[in-house]
Amino acid sequence: MVLAVCLPSRPRLRAVVARALEKDRDRRYATALAFGDARVALGGRPSDQTPPAGVAVPPPAAATVRLADALTAPAHHAGIRWMIPVLAVLLVVLASVFLMMLYPHV
């Protein structure tokens, strides 16, 4: 069995996962909540669960720092900002040339 290879030292977890993967619907967990309860009973962390609707969860501090870093453009990228409008104009010119070649007498 693949689970025996993946989880050799966790027989209780292997049993919970095997029950969740059963082909027979009657032998599987009836709900996701029942599966979650079985996982938590094994020593799973309840903090992994999704919070109830309406409860605001602040992002971790590390994610906030990464977002702030992403909002400030690095200095070496400041010199290529001119490329976007130039590429847009080039695209319009190429489309115009293509249409003039496609319909020359219009």
Side-chain angles (χ1 to χ4, degrees):
M1 180 175 204
V2 175
L3 289 176
V5 174
C6 295
L7 302 168
S9 63
R10 311 262 330 251
R12 289 178 41 210
L13 177 60
R14 190 172 45 220
V16 169
V17 173
R19 181 174 173 193
L21 295 174
E22 278 288 337
K23 288 184 180 181
D24 183 13
R25 178 176 285 185
D26 296 330
R27 295 177 66 187
R28 286 193 305 247
Y29 291 101
T31 63
L33 183 61
F35 175 62
D37 290 342
R39 185 190 59 84
V40 170
L42 290 174
R45 297 177 300 168
S47 62
D48 290 343
Q49 296 175 355
T50 304
V55 175
V57 178
T64 306
V65 171
R66 278 186 255 123
L67 178 62
D69 291 341
L71 292 177
T72 58
H76 65 277
H77 285 245
I80 62 171
R81 291 185 183 178
W82 57 268
M83 289 182 81
I84 294 174
V86 168
L87 290 174
V89 169
L90 183 63
L91 180 65
V92 169
V93 169
L94 288 174
S96 300
V97 169
F98 175 74
L99 288 174
M100 287 188 332
M101 287 173 42
L102 194 62
Y103 303 107
H105 298 290
V106 175

